[in-house]
Amino acid sequence: MAVVSWKEILLLTGLVVGCYWNSLSCGFVFDDVSAILDNKDLRPSTPLSNLFRNDFWGTPMAEERSHKSYRPLTVLTFRLNYVFSELSAASYHLLNVVLHAVVCVLFLRVCRLFLDKTSSLVAALLFAVHPIHTEAVTGVVGRAELLSSIFLLAAFLAYTRSTGADHSIVWTPIALTVVLVAAATLCKEQGITVVGICCVHEVFVAQGFTLPMLLDTLLQVLRGKDGFPYAVLQTLLKLIVLIISTLLLVIVRVQVIQSQLPVFTRFDNPAAVSPTPTRQLTFNYLLPVNAWLLLNPSELCCDWTMGTIPLVESPLDLRNLATLSFYTLLGLLAYHSLRYRHSSAKTVIMALSLIVLPFIPASNLFFPVGFVVAERVLYVPSMGFCVLVAHGFRIVSHKGHLKRISWLMIGVLLTTHAVKTFNRNWDWESEYTLFTSALKVNKNNAKLWNNVGHALENQNNYEKALRYFLQATQVQPDDIGAHMNVGRTYKNLNKSKEAEDAYLIAKSLMPQIIPGKKYATRVAPNHLNVYINLANLIRTNDSRLEEADQLYRQAISMRPDFKQAYISRGELLLKMNKPTEARDAYLRALELDRTNADLWYNLAIVNIEMKEPSEALKNFNHALELSPRHKLALFNSALLMQESGEPKFRPEANRRFLIYVEEEPEDANGYFNLGMLAMDADENAAAERWMLKAIRLQTGFRSALFNLALLYSQSRREMDALPVLDELLRHHPEHIKGLILKGDILMNHKKDTRGAKTCFERILRMDPTNVQGKHNLCVVYFEERDLPRAERCLEETLALAPNEEYVRRHLSIVRSKMAAMSAAGQPLSSVEGAKEEKGKAVKERVEEVVEGEVEGSGAVGKGSGVEKNGRKSSAESLRGAGKDQSESLDSSQAGKRTKTKSTKEITDIEKKRAAALKRLEEIERILSGD
C-alpha cells in the first residue's frame, strides 16, 4: 500500500492554493450571512452548550422554524475563527482552503487503495481543481462538507485496517471508525453514509465477494447443505457492529430534531409538493442533472430552487430520456463491478459507492430536502467521479497509441478546470456578483431576482432594487416573499400607498387555515412577517393603530411562538399608551427567548413608562449581561442612573457612557451626558471638555450649548457664557431660558440694560404669560428709573402669578418708594441708591429660578419591524423612551430631561433661597428707610 509522499502533498497544496487564493478577498455571501454574521452561537458571550442545542444557523432545535441541520462541530470551528479574527472574512476563507487541501491529501491516500500511483494522483489533482467545489470551498458554510469529508475519509481509512494479517478482526480500528463516523455526522449529516462505503469495501474488496458468490452462498445455507463460511461470519460480525453503531447515531439524531422534519415550502423544492407521477419523474431527472454538473461544470449557479428546473409532468417529456440513459449507464457499471473479482471491478464498485451513497440524503428520493440541486452536496460524490475518470485514464493510457493523447486530454482537463475554478471564485466576492452571475444561468428563479434586489437594497439603490423585485413577481407571481420585497422597497421610497398594496397582495397569497391542520407546516415562518410589515406600515397613521394591532394578533393566532409578533405588538401597545399590555407582550416573548438582550431592553423601556425605575434598571442590567456592549441599554441605563440623582450610581453611569461613546463615537448625546455627570459631580473642567466635544460633533446642540453657558455662569465666567448663548440663540432664537440667562448676564455683569431689555421683550413676544421674563423686564424699568412703568409691569406680573410673594413684595416696595418720592416732591422717574441693591435681588432671583432648570438629553432609541425577506437575520424591534419634563429638543435629539437633585443639592438650593429671601428683606428695609 503506497503512502503519500511529501512532494505529492506539496503539489496538491500548491495547486489548491493556486486555484483558491483569490477566495480570500471574498466576503460573507448568501447563506454565510445567516450562519456567520447573524449567528449568536459564534460570540464568546454565548455558552458553548448552545452549540449542541441549536441548529447550524443558531436557532434552537426545539423551535419549529429550525432548519434541523445539526452540525455543532462545524459551528465550533466558526466560533474559533471568531475568537481569532471576529468577523474578518479572510480568516474564514483561509481555513476553508486549508481544509480542502487536507481533504485532497486524504483522498489521494484513499485512491492508493484502488488505483496505481499515477492514476491515484490524477484523481486527487482532478478533485483539487474541480469547479463544482467552489461553493463548498469559497462559500464559508461549505465548511460542513469539508469537515465531514475529512472525518469520512479518515473513518474509511481506519476501517481498512480492521483486518489483521491472519484475517482476524482488529477491533481498535473499528472503534476508531465509529468515533470518526460520529464526528463526521456532527459536521454534516451525510457523514453517516461512510458506514455504507465501509460495508461495500468489506464485502466486495476486502473479502473479494461478487454478487453471484453471495447469492450462491445464501442458497447453500438456505438449502441446509452448508453453514456460513468462517470468513462470511467474520464479515457479518464486523458489519453488525457498524450497523448497530449507525442505528444508535440515527436514533440520537432523531432525538435531537425531536422527531420533527424541517418545514419547507413549494418555493424551496417545487417537486416535493407535486402529485404523482410529477414528483417521481422530476426527482429522478435531477440525478442526470447532477451527473452533468460533474461532467461539464461550465454553468454553475448558487441557487437551483423555485423554477430553475421545470417540473417533469409527463412520461412523454423528452428529459426522461436523460433519466433512462443515466440509470442504464449506472446499471452497466454496477453489473460490471458486482459480477467480477478483478481489480478494475473493485475500483469501479468503490467509485460507485462514493458517488451514490453520500448523495442519497440529498437525492430527494427517500425524503424531501430544502433544495432542488445544490452544488456543494456533490463534494463527496465527486470523489467517486474522479476515481472513475482516473481509472478510465489508466485504461486508455496503457494502450500505446493513445498514451500521449490521454496525457494531453488530462492536462487540458486539469488546466481548464483550474482556470474555471479560479474565475468562479470571483463570483463569490459579493452578493451582487454572486447573484448576477447566477442570473446568467437561471433566469426563471425568482429567488435570484430577489437576491440581486437585496444586494442593491443594501447599497441603498432602491430604484434599481425595485426593478429586480418586480421582475421576481413576474417570474413567480405567487411568490409571497417577492411581493413583500416590493412593499418594503416602496416604503423605503416613501410610497406608502404602493407599499400597502404590495403587502396586501402578499397577504392574499397566504394559505388559508384548514380546520384540523397545523398552519405552520404549510407556510415558511418568514412569510408570516407580511403581517408584521403591513402593521408596521399602517401604524404610522395614528387613526389605524387598532387595525395594526389586529394584524399582530392575527400573526400570533397563526403561530403562538412567533416571537417577533409579540415584540412588535409590545411596541405598538406602548405607543397606544397601554404599558401593562405591552409588558405582558414582552414577557410572553421572553418566555420564548430569555437570551434576547433586545427583549430585556424593551421591557425596561416599558418599566420607565410605568414609572418603575428600579425594575427598569434591573432589566437594563439583564440586557447588558447578555450583550455587554448593547448600545441602547448602555445609554438608557446610564441615563436612568444619572436621573436618579444618587451619587452612588455616578461611577457606573460614567463607565457606561464611556463604553457607549466607544461604540458610537459620533453621537453627541453620549458626550453631553458625560458632561452632565461631571457637572453633577462639580468637575467643571471635565464637564466643559465633554460639552465642547458634543457641540463640535453636533452644531447647534441646544442642550449642550445652554448647559455649557450655565456652567460658565455658575463658575463666575459670565463673559465666556455670552458667546455660547449667542450661538445657542442663533440656532434656537426661541430658547426662553437662554434669553433669561443672557439678559441676567447683560444686566448684572455688563450693566447693559438695553440688551437685557431686548432679551426679556423677545421672551414676552413669544410667550406673553412668561412670569420670569415679565418680572425681569419690570426690574429693567426699575433700573431705568421709570417707576410708574415698573409699577404697571409688576401689577401685570402679579395678575399672571398671584401667588408669587416676591412679586407682591417688589410691587409694594416700588409703590412705597413712589409715595415717599411724591411726598418729598421728587420726580418719580428718578431712583437714587436703589439700583444696585435691586439689581442684586434680581440676580439672586434669576439664579434661583435657573438653578432648577438645567437641560439634559433623554433616552435615545429606535423602532423597526421585520422587513427583509429570505434571511434568518430579521432585525429585532427596539424602542427607546425617556422623560420629557420640560421642552423638546429638535428632531435630531431624543428628548430632554430636568436635572434631578440629590438630597444634598436640594439642601444647598434651600439655603440659597433662604439667603435670597433675607437679601430681599434687607432691600425692603433700605427702600423703606429712603
Side-chain angles (χ1 to χ4, degrees):
M1 189 183 296
V3 297
V4 178
S5 68
W6 280 105
K7 289 182 180 179
E8 290 170 327
I9 293 174
L10 291 175
L11 174 62
L12 286 172
T13 303
L15 192 58
V16 168
V17 172
C19 288
Y20 287 100
W21 69 264
N22 58 335
S23 70
L24 302 185
S25 63
C26 298
F28 295 116
V29 297
F30 204 16
D31 289 339
D32 297 346
V33 176
S34 299
I36 308 297
L37 299 182
D38 299 335
N39 192 346
K40 293 181 180 179
D41 287 348
L42 271 63
R43 278 46 172 182
S45 57
T46 303
L48 272 174
S49 59
N50 280 24
L51 273 64
F52 296 90
R53 290 199 295 264
N54 298 343
D55 67 13
F56 187 54
W57 316 98
T59 305
M61 295 291 290
E63 291 191 14
E64 196 166 7
R65 64 190 178 92
S66 169
H67 198 273
K68 310 301 181 186
S69 47
Y70 189 64
R71 304 164 190 173
L73 294 186
T74 303
V75 180
L76 181 61
T77 65
F78 292 153
R79 183 158 173 152
L80 291 173
N81 269 119
Y82 189 91
V83 168
F84 289 106
S85 63
E86 293 192 351
L87 294 176
S88 171
S91 72
Y92 293 78
H93 289 294
L94 176 61
L95 184 53
N96 272 23
V97 173
V98 171
L99 292 174
H100 181 52
V102 173
V103 174
C104 292
V105 173
L106 285 174
F107 177 56
L108 175 59
R109 183 72 181 79
V110 169
C111 290
R112 290 280 157 85
L113 299 174
F114 324 117
L115 297 169
D116 60 34
K117 187 174 182 179
T118 301
S119 301
S120 59
L121 182 59
V122 168
L125 291 173
L126 180 58
F127 180 80
V129 302
H130 203 296
I132 202 70
H133 300 154
T134 51
E135 184 172 344
V137 180
T138 309
V140 177
V141 296
R143 186 177 300 176
E145 268 73 25
L146 304 176
L147 288 170
S148 180
S149 298
I150 288 174
F151 289 114
L152 182 149
L153 294 173
F156 178 72
L157 287 172
Y159 184 79
T160 59
R161 298 175 180 272
S162 63
T163 302
D166 57 351
H167 300 288
S168 62
I169 300 175
V170 183
W171 290 106
T172 301
I174 294 178
L176 179 60
T177 298
V178 172
V179 172
L180 291 170
V181 169
T185 307
L186 290 175
C187 293
K188 192 173 182 183
E189 297 77 6
Q190 70 180 28
I192 202 170
T193 59
V194 69
V195 173
I197 298 172
C198 292
C199 291
V200 172
H201 177 270
E202 177 66 31
V203 174
F204 297 105
V205 178
Q207 301 301 328
F209 286 107
T210 62
L211 188 59
M213 291 174 61
L214 284 176
L215 293 175
D216 184 61
T217 302
L218 184 60
L219 286 174
Q220 294 291 336
V221 172
L222 291 176
R223 290 171 182 170
K225 295 182 178 181
D226 198 0
F228 282 109
Y230 180 71
V232 174
L233 290 175
Q234 279 193 315
T235 300
L236 284 174
L237 182 59
K238 292 168 72 174
L239 296 185
I240 287 170
V241 171
L242 282 180
I243 292 170
I244 291 175
S245 302
T246 303
L247 288 175
L248 288 174
L249 284 174
V250 170
I251 291 170
V252 171
R253 183 70 174 82
V254 171
Q255 289 296 317
V256 166
I257 66 173
Q258 300 184 358
S259 303
Q260 293 179 343
L261 289 175
V263 177
F264 299 118
T265 70
R266 58 192 176 86
F267 301 111
D268 299 316
N269 192 346
V273 295
S274 299
T276 301
T278 300
R279 181 171 64 255
Q280 290 77 12
L281 291 175
T282 303
F283 284 156
N284 281 281
Y285 171 66
L286 294 179
L287 301 179
V289 170
N290 282 279
W292 180 250
L293 288 174
L294 288 173
L295 190 63
N296 178 32
S298 58
E299 292 187 336
L300 300 178
C301 178
C302 63
D303 193 301
W304 295 79
T305 57
M306 303 189 92
T308 301
I309 299 176
L311 298 174
V312 182
E313 298 178 314
S314 167
L316 300 179
D317 193 312
L318 291 178
R319 289 176 293 173
N320 290 317
L321 294 176
T323 305
L324 185 62
S325 300
F326 172 80
Y327 276 115
T328 301
L329 178 61
L330 188 66
L332 289 173
L333 288 173
Y335 176 81
H336 167 79
S337 59
L338 293 174
R339 187 172 181 81
Y340 303 104
R341 299 186 63 180
H342 51 70
S343 61
S344 177
K346 293 179 180 180
T347 301
V348 172
I349 192 62
M350 289 310 303
L352 290 178
S353 66
L354 282 169
I355 292 173
V356 174
L357 295 177
F359 186 72
I360 285 177
S363 67
N364 281 293
L365 295 177
F366 299 98
F367 49 83
V369 294
F371 53 83
V372 178
V373 173
E375 292 165 10
R376 61 175 176 263
V377 303
L378 294 174
Y379 189 76
V380 177
S382 68
M383 295 179 185
F385 172 78
C386 292
V387 170
L388 283 179
V389 172
H391 182 53
F393 162 77
R394 183 180 66 175
I395 294 173
V396 173
S397 64
H398 284 172
K399 297 179 180 180
H401 62 287
L402 295 176
K403 183 175 183 179
R404 289 186 178 180
I405 296 177
S406 63
W407 275 104
L408 177 63
M409 294 298 294
I410 280 294
V412 171
L413 182 65
L414 292 175
T415 302
T416 54
H417 275 29
V419 172
K420 172 65 176 177
T421 298
F422 184 83
N423 290 331
R424 173 64 173 157
N425 289 333
W426 292 121
D427 292 340
W428 291 80
E429 186 176 15
S430 68
E431 293 207 323
Y432 182 76
T433 57
L434 178 64
F435 296 127
T436 51
S437 70
L439 278 177
K440 296 174 183 176
V441 177
N442 297 322
K443 295 187 183 299
N444 294 324
N445 187 337
K447 191 174 179 181
L448 293 176
W449 292 99
N450 280 319
N451 283 332
V452 175
H454 284 311
L456 292 167
E457 189 179 31
N458 291 335
Q459 300 170 12
N460 297 324
N461 191 347
Y462 298 121
E463 292 284 357
K464 192 173 181 181
L466 180 62
R467 292 199 292 270
Y468 280 90
F469 291 142
L470 288 172
Q471 181 62 34
T473 64
Q474 296 296 317
V475 171
Q476 189 89 33
D478 59 350
D479 181 9
I480 298 172
H483 291 286
M484 290 171 64
N485 292 335
V486 170
R488 185 182 61 255
T489 309
Y490 274 131
K491 182 182 176 184
N492 289 332
L493 292 169
N494 297 317
K495 296 181 178 180
S496 300
K497 179 63 173 64
E498 291 86 347
E500 184 173 349
D501 291 342
Y503 285 140
L504 288 173
I505 293 173
K507 182 171 175 286
S508 69
L509 292 170
M510 295 287 286
Q512 299 302 309
I513 296 177
I514 299 175
K517 187 166 184 179
K518 198 168 185 181
Y519 186 87
T521 60
R522 298 183 297 109
V523 65
N526 63 300
H527 285 171
L528 284 173
N529 287 330
V530 66
Y531 295 95
I532 307 299
N533 292 352
L534 181 56
N536 289 344
L537 177 68
I538 67 176
R539 79 182 196 189
T540 57
N541 184 343
D542 289 344
S543 66
R544 303 181 70 184
L545 297 182
E546 289 293 343
E547 187 181 345
D549 189 34
Q550 176 62 31
L551 286 167
Y552 291 136
R553 284 186 278 125
Q554 187 175 355
I556 290 170
S557 68
M558 292 177 174
R559 194 180 185 90
D561 64 345
F562 193 11
K563 178 179 62 179
Q564 186 58 50
Y566 292 105
I567 294 171
S568 298
R569 183 166 186 253
E571 182 182 347
L572 175 68
L573 290 168
L574 205 54
K575 183 177 181 180
M576 297 170 70
N577 198 26
K578 297 180 180 180
T580 303
E581 293 180 47
R583 180 183 60 188
D584 293 341
Y586 287 133
L587 288 174
R588 177 70 181 103
L590 280 168
E591 290 176 11
L592 300 171
D593 183 7
R594 297 190 66 82
T595 62
N596 190 318
D598 295 331
L599 279 175
W600 290 105
Y601 168 81
N602 286 7
L603 185 58
I605 295 303
V606 175
N607 293 137
I608 289 176
E609 290 292 320
M610 298 179 71
K611 310 228 179 319
E612 298 172 345
S614 59
E615 286 299 312
L617 189 56
K618 287 180 185 177
N619 290 323
F620 278 138
N621 289 339
H622 273 303
L624 291 171
E625 286 171 8
L626 294 167
S627 179
R629 302 186 82 83
H630 191 290
K631 291 181 284 190
L632 294 175
L634 283 167
F635 185 94
N636 286 296
S637 62
L639 187 61
L640 192 61
M641 293 178 184
Q642 181 182 357
E643 289 180 335
S644 72
E646 293 288 342
K648 65 180 180 181
F649 285 140
R650 284 179 192 161
E652 179 62 16
N654 192 73
R655 185 188 72 82
R656 293 187 184 187
F657 277 132
L658 286 172
I659 298 174
Y660 177 79
V661 297
E662 287 178 11
E663 294 293 310
E664 292 287 344
E666 300 301 314
D667 185 4
N669 284 289
Y671 300 101
F672 167 73
N673 281 283
L674 282 167
M676 294 300 295
L677 274 175
M679 286 181 69
D680 290 343
D682 294 326
E683 298 173 357
N684 292 346
E688 180 183 5
R689 184 174 69 253
W690 292 124
M691 293 293 182
L692 289 171
K693 175 75 172 176
I695 294 166
R696 280 197 296 271
L697 285 173
Q698 184 175 312
T699 304
F701 192 159
R702 179 184 184 120
S703 298
L705 287 166
F706 177 77
N707 283 289
L708 179 60
L710 187 61
L711 174 67
Y712 287 149
S713 176
Q714 292 174 343
S715 305
R716 302 184 183 279
R717 297 169 58 186
E718 289 83 359
M719 296 303 105
D720 290 335
L722 280 177
V724 177
L725 288 168
D726 288 338
E727 183 179 354
L728 170 66
L729 294 171
R730 185 170 67 253
H731 291 284
H732 308 284
E734 79 293 346
H735 198 287
I736 290 176
K737 282 178 284 183
L739 288 167
I740 289 175
L741 183 57
K742 182 179 179 182
D744 170 53
I745 294 172
L746 291 174
M747 184 166 58
N748 291 289
H749 298 281
K750 291 197 71 175
K751 309 303 180 185
D752 181 3
T753 55
R754 181 176 298 178
K757 183 177 181 181
T758 301
C759 291
F760 301 139
E761 287 175 342
R762 280 176 62 184
I763 292 171
L764 293 176
R765 282 196 296 272
M766 290 184 288
D767 181 10
T769 63
N770 188 284
V771 175
Q772 198 174 349
K774 185 79 170 175
H775 173 265
N776 289 1
L777 183 60
C778 300
V779 174
V780 173
Y781 294 151
F782 186 86
E783 294 204 356
E784 290 178 342
R785 306 176 186 180
D786 191 347
L787 293 183
R789 194 170 185 184
E791 180 188 24
R792 289 194 303 272
C793 180
L794 286 168
E795 287 173 346
E796 293 170 0
T797 306
L798 188 61
L800 292 172
N803 296 322
E804 290 289 351
E805 274 301 315
Y806 74 94
V807 179
R808 192 180 302 278
R809 284 200 303 273
H810 289 176
L811 178 58
S812 176
I813 291 171
V814 171
R815 285 174 174 172
S816 297
K817 186 63 179 176
M818 289 173 66
M821 293 178 66
S822 296
Q826 296 177 357
L828 295 181
S829 59
S830 176
V831 180
E832 297 295 341
K835 178 179 177 182
E836 181 180 354
E837 296 300 327
K838 187 64 179 176
K840 290 180 180 177
V842 172
K843 182 174 186 296
E844 292 283 359
R845 180 59 192 164
V846 170
E847 289 181 346
E848 173 190 343
V849 176
V850 172
E851 182 72 32
E853 296 182 349
V854 181
E855 290 193 10
S857 116
V860 296
K862 63 181 179 180
S864 63
V866 177
E867 291 286 352
K868 204 161 186 179
N869 178 51
R871 294 285 189 208
K872 300 180 183 353
S873 55
S874 56
E876 300 293 353
S877 174
L878 304 179
R879 184 182 186 276
K883 298 182 180 179
D884 189 1
Q885 298 176 344
S886 52
E887 64 185 311
S888 300
L889 292 178
D890 58 34
S891 59
S892 66
Q893 298 303 316
K896 91 177 227 17
R897 66 177 176 82
T898 298
K899 180 178 171 186
T900 304
K901 299 294 183 179
S902 65
T903 303
K904 178 178 179 300
E905 290 168 324
I906 291 171
T907 303
D908 291 341
I909 292 170
E910 291 300 327
K911 289 180 179 178
K912 290 181 180 180
R913 287 176 176 167
L917 289 174
K918 185 177 180 181
R919 185 62 174 162
L920 284 173
E921 291 172 359
E922 292 175 358
I923 294 169
E924 290 168 10
R925 285 198 299 272
I926 293 171
L927 292 175
S928 299
D930 256 353

